[in-house]
Amino acid sequence: MLIDFTDPSDTSLVIIFLLLFVDLAVRVAAIIIIPRNRRPTAGMAWLLAVFFIPYIGILLFLLIGNPKLPRKRMAKQRRMDAFIRANSDVPGGRPHNEEWPEWFASVAQLNRNLTSMPMVDGNSATLLEDYDGTIQAMADEVDRATKYVHVEFYILSCDQTTAVFFDALERAVARGVTVRVLFDHWASWRSKGFKHTVRRLTEMGATWHQMLPVQPFRGHFQRPDLRNHRKILVVDGKSAFMGSLNLIDRSYNKRTNIKRGLKWQELVTRVEGPVVDALNLIFITDWYIESEELLENEARVLESIDDPALLECQVVPSGPGFEGENNLRLFLALLYGAQHRIVITSPYFVPDESMLYAITTAVERGVPVDLFVSEIGDQALVWHAQRSYYEALLRAGVRIYQYKSPYILHSKHFTIDDDVAVIGSSNMDMRSFGLNMEVSMLVRGESFVRDMRAVEDHYRSVSKELTLDEWMKQPLRSTVLDGLARLTSALQ
């Protein structure tokens, strides 16, 4: 049978067959391409998107389907890994400490292998809970600077709350201190007053760069939701701050947040000792990746100080610039190593299967687990995805505490037994594990954990414990929304 292309009915039939062929080809190609080197849950989520909403699903996959940075950035990261190793006092990593728990030495070695960062002794650390007080403390530290100030934040915004910090930066520049500033392009650009912020930095004489800029017409493009989520301040290589706080007003200057009366609750630690040099190396790495300027003169060798009264610390950077999910591997190793107690604080708790199993297995092993989350959410999709795990956690015996509104518990930390803790910028969700550049600090020291326990006790005093009986009374519509959000959380 010959097809007459002048016959409209024959032409329509050809078009239909071509569309069916293209549709089949796309689906077959998706089955081959999407699951490759991708965790099964993420692969299945992408396949469902392509099969059920093909045009939108394909477009999304082409836009955000690659969870890795461009090759040029990956090559820079590898160069900086070698640079970090060259600035470590122990070529093979810190020797085993006889006082460490048996499992802890392997965790330190794991981090060293993944990140090039060694465990260093001789540190001190102070926890800071007060939001405005923390910004004031950082401003005071900048006012004491004599050589340089390195600022790196996911969100950097000059507003009425952070003005005190920007004023301190301006005074530092005026007295001859070098001020270098990094901020995430996408997150800061979306914040109110972005133009005022960059103008303020420029006018004061600070040198600044945007991290992971999404500027395709300037040759800067990668998956747009690969972000640098780190929060670091280093002053003269003598002191540093790191944790969960972004440099912005407690309401994030969003109209909806202000209308709801939302306030962010954070936790930051101020550190002194060799770990400051480790945090500075993270800044130097990110500065080089964005500016191609290597600050060799301000990189000091990581040398431990032998003082049993001080803390042992190890900085653990993670993100799409590394081959593995460094933070996830650290968290899993600690969860399986815990023997007596685990307390987790995470604002966006959307674990993958491995973390869910590690937590529930800990309870089965007889290790009590407490989880602190917010009673309300600021991001609907993430909040519903988080809620989808509550039933499994409660049935396993995890105690869930909901930090009461109108506060968003944005702190990111957890404690293991009586002498191990982690604090930093990383959430316990698949975004922080695979898509965001994060920085965590592993700390061993009973004094630090006691301080962290005091913070956790404060959380507990202002939180409401969620019970399984209460949770099972959730309406069906909430369960459906939670389940749908859980599916979308795997799109990586």
Side-chain angles (χ1 to χ4, degrees), residues 83-280:
F83 181 78
I84 289 170
R85 285 186 180 276
N87 283 275
S88 301
D89 64 333
V90 183
R94 188 200 188 292
H96 178 74
N97 187 330
E98 294 181 357
E99 296 182 359
W100 285 353
E102 291 184 5
W103 55 270
F104 189 77
S106 63
V107 175
Q109 187 60 50
L110 167 72
N111 295 332
R112 173 70 168 178
N113 292 341
L114 292 173
T115 70
S116 304
M117 286 288 184
M119 178 74 73
V120 288
D121 298 344
N123 306 286
S124 61
T126 304
L127 293 174
L128 303 170
E129 286 188 86
D130 181 75
Y131 198 102
D132 292 352
T134 300
I135 294 174
Q136 183 64 60
M138 291 192 290
D140 293 342
E141 202 76 27
V142 171
D143 276 332
R144 290 189 283 269
T146 59
K147 297 178 181 178
Y148 64 83
V149 176
H150 289 164
V151 181
E152 178 175 349
F153 283 86
Y154 175 59
I155 298 177
L156 184 75
S157 179
C158 183
D159 56 35
Q160 60 182 4
T161 299
T162 62
V164 62
F165 182 79
F166 281 81
D167 290 344
L169 292 181
E170 186 172 23
R171 289 191 294 270
V173 174
R175 63 178 183 270
V177 174
T178 299
V179 173
R180 300 184 180 94
V181 180
L182 291 171
F183 53 86
D184 184 83
H185 169 231
W186 188 255
S188 296
W189 175 76
R190 290 187 303 147
S191 299
K192 183 179 179 181
F194 173 72
K195 291 183 179 179
H196 168 66
T197 300
V198 296
R199 185 168 59 248
R200 184 89 165 84
L201 291 171
T202 301
E203 289 175 351
M204 74 171 63
T207 306
W208 57 271
H209 290 280
Q210 300 177 101
M211 297 184 292
L212 294 169
V214 182
Q215 299 167 322
F217 296 111
R218 299 183 184 179
H220 302 300
F221 187 78
Q222 64 280 320
R223 176 172 170 170
D225 61 340
L226 298 181
R227 307 311 327 151
N228 193 316
H229 197 239
R230 295 168 181 160
K231 295 100 174 170
I232 301 171
L233 170 66
V234 180
V235 178
D236 288 346
K238 296 180 179 179
S239 62
F241 294 75
M242 61 92 68
S244 64
L245 184 142
N246 287 298
L247 269 174
I248 191 170
D249 182 77
R250 199 172 187 178
S251 67
Y252 276 53
N253 296 319
K254 292 184 178 180
R255 188 176 302 174
T256 54
N257 294 345
I258 296 171
K259 185 176 180 180
R260 296 172 65 189
L262 300 186
K263 299 178 181 179
W264 266 241
Q265 180 67 29
E266 310 286 359
L267 189 66
V268 170
T269 182
R270 178 189 180 276
V271 295
E272 293 183 349
V275 73
V276 174
D277 296 324
L279 288 167
N280 198 40

Side-chain angles (χ1 to χ4, degrees), residues 297-340:
N297 294 333
E298 293 174 9
R300 296 193 305 192
V301 175
L302 300 179
E303 296 178 331
S304 291
I305 299 172
D306 188 12
D307 187 340
L310 298 177
L311 304 173
E312 298 169 294
C313 300
Q314 187 174 32
V315 171
V316 182
S318 58
F322 294 91
E323 294 298 333
E325 296 172 324
N326 302 343
N327 48 358
L328 175 59
R329 293 174 188 269
L330 165 63
F331 298 162
L332 290 175
L334 292 175
L335 290 169
Y336 280 113
Q339 299 299 310
H340 305 295

Side-chain angles (χ1 to χ4, degrees), residues 20-92:
L20 289 173
F21 176 78
V22 170
D23 180 75
L24 178 62
V26 167
R27 293 171 189 266
V28 171
I31 293 173
I32 296 171
I33 295 170
I34 289 177
R36 186 178 181 185
N37 297 323
R38 196 182 302 270
R39 64 162 57 95
T41 50
M44 182 60 69
W46 276 116
L47 287 174
L48 287 172
V50 170
F51 273 63
F52 284 99
I53 46 171
Y55 299 110
I56 297 175
I58 292 168
L59 181 63
L60 285 174
F61 183 76
L62 292 174
L63 184 64
I64 63 172
N66 182 5
K68 291 298 181 183
L69 291 169
R71 292 181 180 179
K72 185 178 180 181
R73 282 183 174 269
M74 295 287 284
K76 288 181 178 180
Q77 180 66 60
R78 286 191 292 271
R79 179 181 177 186
M80 292 310 297
D81 289 346
F83 181 78
I84 289 170
R85 285 186 180 276
N87 283 275
S88 301
D89 64 333
V90 183

